[in-house]
């Protein structure tokens, strides 16, 4: 099996990074192939903008989805996006490893989704959910928190984990992934 970890933490010696390191070792020991996409180490730019598109269809106004569709059709997607898409295409299982920050996912991961899940290429009005680009592939969120499990329940001070992760997991489902239950390290 091909496994991709998307690591989302700025500190290379963090608990999140260690979880990915140990996961990689365990999966490889079991005979799997593993790649890691470390967003901070890569210097991934999460901010979508006109500067990413050299061959624009409209230079007067920037329409991200229109430019994504155009770049995908012309084969002119930015190289960092092409690399991330290639990793996703290679993977059978994608594990997103990140901390819960401010009751949500880190901004760089949201920006990664905005830029990598290309309109017109990886999803269309007819290519989503069970007909999504990534159908047959699995995805999972593995999260860490700075609070005990009791804080992440209905009415808890951290908020209910399923509600915190709902939009991210639904986005993965929208893209065609079979979304596995999240793993939480409290």
């Amino acid at each position: 099996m091909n496994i991709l970890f998307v690591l989302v933490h700025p500190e290379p010696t963090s608990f999140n990074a260690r979880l990915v390191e140990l996961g990689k070792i365990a999966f490889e020991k079991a005979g799997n192939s593993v790649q890691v996409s470390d967003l901070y180490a890569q210097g991934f730019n999460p901010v979508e903008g006109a500067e990413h598109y050299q061959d624009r269809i409209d230079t007067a106004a920037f329409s991200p989805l229109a430019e994504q569709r155009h770049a995908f059709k012309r084969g002119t997607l930015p190289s960092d996006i092409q690399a991330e898409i290639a990793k996703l295409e290679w993977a059978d299982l994608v594990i997103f490893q990140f901390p819960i920050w401010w009751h949500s996912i880190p901004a760089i991961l949201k920006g990664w989704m905005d830029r990598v899940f290309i309109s017109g290429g990886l999803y269309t009005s007819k290519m989503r959910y069970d007909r999504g680009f990534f159908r047959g592939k699995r995805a999972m969120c593995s999260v860490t928190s700075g609070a005990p499990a009791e804080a992440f329940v209905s009415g808890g001070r951290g908020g209910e984990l399923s509600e915190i992760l709902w939009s991210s997991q639904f986005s993965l489902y929208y893209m065609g992934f079979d979304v596995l239950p999240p793993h939480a390290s409290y």
Side-chain angles (χ1 to χ4, degrees), residues 49-71:
E51 67 276 8
H52 298 298
Y53 302 93
Q54 304 306 311
D55 178 30
R56 301 249 322 265
I57 56 172
D58 184 352
T59 57
F62 179 62
S63 173
L65 300 184
E67 296 299 346
Q68 287 180 354
R69 287 189 293 271
H70 179 69

Side-chain angles (χ1 to χ4, degrees), residues 61-126:
F62 179 62
S63 173
L65 300 184
E67 296 299 346
Q68 287 180 354
R69 287 189 293 271
H70 179 69
F72 183 82
K73 286 178 191 172
R74 307 241 338 161
T76 60
L77 287 171
S79 60
D80 61 338
I81 301 307
Q82 290 177 26
E84 294 302 303
I85 291 171
K87 291 175 200 173
L88 290 168
E89 290 176 324
W90 169 85
D92 301 305
L93 169 64
V94 182
I95 301 172
F96 295 88
Q97 180 64 59
F98 59 91
I100 298 295
W101 284 345
W102 285 106
H103 308 97
S104 189
I105 66 174
I108 194 171
L109 180 54
K110 174 59 170 80
W112 182 91
M113 290 179 172
D114 291 344
R115 291 195 59 218
V116 173
F117 292 161
I118 296 294
S119 175
L122 302 188
Y123 75 92
T124 67
S125 62
K126 294 180 179 167

Side-chain angles (χ1 to χ4, degrees), residues 139-142 165 169 179-184:
M140 178 181 136
C141 293
S142 176
L165 296 176
Q169 291 184 303
V179 181
L180 303 174
H183 175 268

Side-chain angles (χ1 to χ4, degrees), residues 17-35:
R18 184 71 174 143
L19 288 173
V20 169
E21 180 184 333
L22 292 174
K24 184 177 187 304
I25 291 167
F27 281 125
E28 287 177 341
K29 187 175 182 180
N32 301 290
S33 297
V34 179
Q35 289 187 50

Side-chain angles (χ1 to χ4, degrees), residues 3 6 14 32 37 39 57 65-66 98 103 105-106 112 121 128 132 145-146 159 166 173 177 181 184-185:
I3 300 159
V6 178
S14 69
N32 301 290
S37 193
L39 300 188
I57 56 172
L65 300 184
F98 59 91
H103 308 97
I105 66 174
W112 182 91
R128 55 189 171 168
S145 75
W166 184 86
Y173 172 62
F177 286 103
S185 297

